[in-house]
Amino acid sequence: MGSIAKAITEASKAMGYSELREYQKKTIEAYLSGRDVFVSAPTEAGKSLTFELAPYAFDYLLGEDSNAIFLVVVPLISLMKDQVSNLNSCGIQASFIGDDCSEQQLQDILDPKDKLVFGSPEAILNNYQHIFRRLKNNLKCVFIDESLGKDSATEEAFRRDYGRLLLCREVPFVALTATATEATKKTIIKDLCMRNCVQILGDPNKPNIQYTVVDIDHGNLYDTFKPIIDDIDERQLSAT
């Protein structure tokens, strides 16, 4: 068995990256060590790379014949379809569980030909639970992408099946989100029973985005928004 550091290096090379961001390395190191991880990092900061590298890293540690499977729980069907399409176009074996799957696609998941399997919590634990049960023995890690499964203000689950992901609790959980208040973070960690998990918290602020609050004259909205209109017009002219 190779070292975790070497596994991350080899996985990065396989994906065409010479180096990773520090939080990405810490995330991968943690789950390769068997630890749960809570990650809060801004949109477009590369959170998806932490699970895209998983098959390569585990293949290095366990061998390519390990038949390791990685479950990626995604709340939106359109999002998971885009992710799977992008991964397949890059030569990465990935598929999704859902009503749009053909019998052949479901069989490919069971063989298993695909290392990364995407699905909503409802599909995984309800309609296609029989597939999940057959994959479970080869499951090495569960990634919960966009893990805001509860309303932190009311503590009411608006996606109750997120809590049922505890059926996978034999393997590390990695919860990924772009933003989370302290209360929301605690709720996610509690509901997923992530004990002594590694917490990786990024700054959600983006320096290229500004927020301004101003009083507006409702009787003269054109003048109020004129600077924005002028800026859009100028950008369109520059683009042409």
Side-chain angles (χ1 to χ4, degrees):
M1 179 181 290
S3 71
I4 287 176
K6 183 65 173 175
I8 295 173
T9 299
E10 293 302 313
S12 301
K13 287 180 181 178
M15 287 285 291
Y17 292 92
S18 58
E19 60 180 342
L20 301 178
R21 296 180 180 182
E22 190 61 28
Y23 91 87
Q24 292 170 327
K25 286 193 289 187
K26 289 182 178 179
T27 301
I28 299 169
E29 285 172 359
Y31 70 67
L32 289 179
S33 301
R35 300 279 302 277
D36 291 336
V37 196
F38 177 89
V39 181
S40 177
T43 302
E44 299 182 358
K47 293 187 294 296
S48 60
L49 192 59
T50 61
F51 57 75
E52 291 169 0
L53 288 176
Y56 297 104
F58 272 91
D59 278 353
Y60 180 83
L61 291 175
L62 305 177
E64 294 185 8
D65 57 350
S66 65
N67 290 326
I69 294 290
F70 307 91
L71 190 60
V72 184
V73 182
V74 182
L76 300 175
I77 294 174
S78 59
L79 180 59
M80 76 176 73
K81 284 183 176 180
D82 286 345
Q83 289 176 310
V84 168
S85 177
N86 291 335
L87 288 169
N88 288 337
S89 68
C90 295
I92 300 171
Q93 295 172 311
S95 56
F96 70 92
I97 298 174
D99 292 339
D100 291 345
C101 286
S102 66
E103 287 298 322
Q104 184 58 53
Q105 286 173 315
L106 293 176
Q107 189 57 50
D108 287 346
I109 293 172
L110 292 172
D111 279 346
K113 291 183 178 179
D114 299 319
K115 298 280 191 178
L116 287 168
V117 178
F118 291 71
S120 69
E122 292 84 2
I124 294 166
L125 299 172
N126 294 324
N127 300 350
Y128 297 91
Q129 191 176 109
H130 63 291
I131 291 179
F132 164 69
R133 286 174 177 168
R134 290 179 61 180
L135 294 176
K136 196 173 178 182
N137 289 338
N138 292 328
L139 194 61
K140 299 302 179 186
C141 193
V142 176
F143 299 87
I144 302 97
D145 198 13
E146 301 303 337
S147 56
L148 295 176
K150 268 185 176 287
D151 184 333
S152 60
T154 64
E155 294 297 312
E156 288 293 322
F158 56 85
R159 298 290 288 266
R160 294 184 182 278
D161 284 303
Y162 271 93
R164 294 178 59 216
L165 291 171
L166 298 180
L167 294 171
C168 317
R169 250 327 350 192
E170 294 89 347
V171 300
F173 271 27
V174 180
L176 304 163
T177 184
T179 57
T181 64
E182 183 66 20
T184 301
K185 181 189 75 172
K186 289 180 178 179
T187 297
I188 293 170
I189 290 173
K190 180 190 72 174
D191 288 351
L192 295 177
C193 292
M194 301 171 77
R195 297 175 181 173
N196 192 31
C197 73
V198 176
Q199 297 185 33
I200 299 173
L201 309 176
D203 185 352
N205 291 324
K206 292 187 175 182
N208 62 328
I209 297 178
Q210 291 184 330
Y211 300 91
T212 305
V213 179
V214 297
D215 290 327
I216 65 171
D217 180 1
H218 291 275
N220 190 4
L221 292 178
Y222 180 82
D223 284 348
T224 299
F225 291 102
K226 191 174 185 305
I228 298 175
I229 295 170
D230 290 343
D231 184 57
I232 293 173
D233 287 341
E234 183 178 341
R235 289 172 185 269
Q236 288 177 336
L237 288 172
S238 298
T240 57

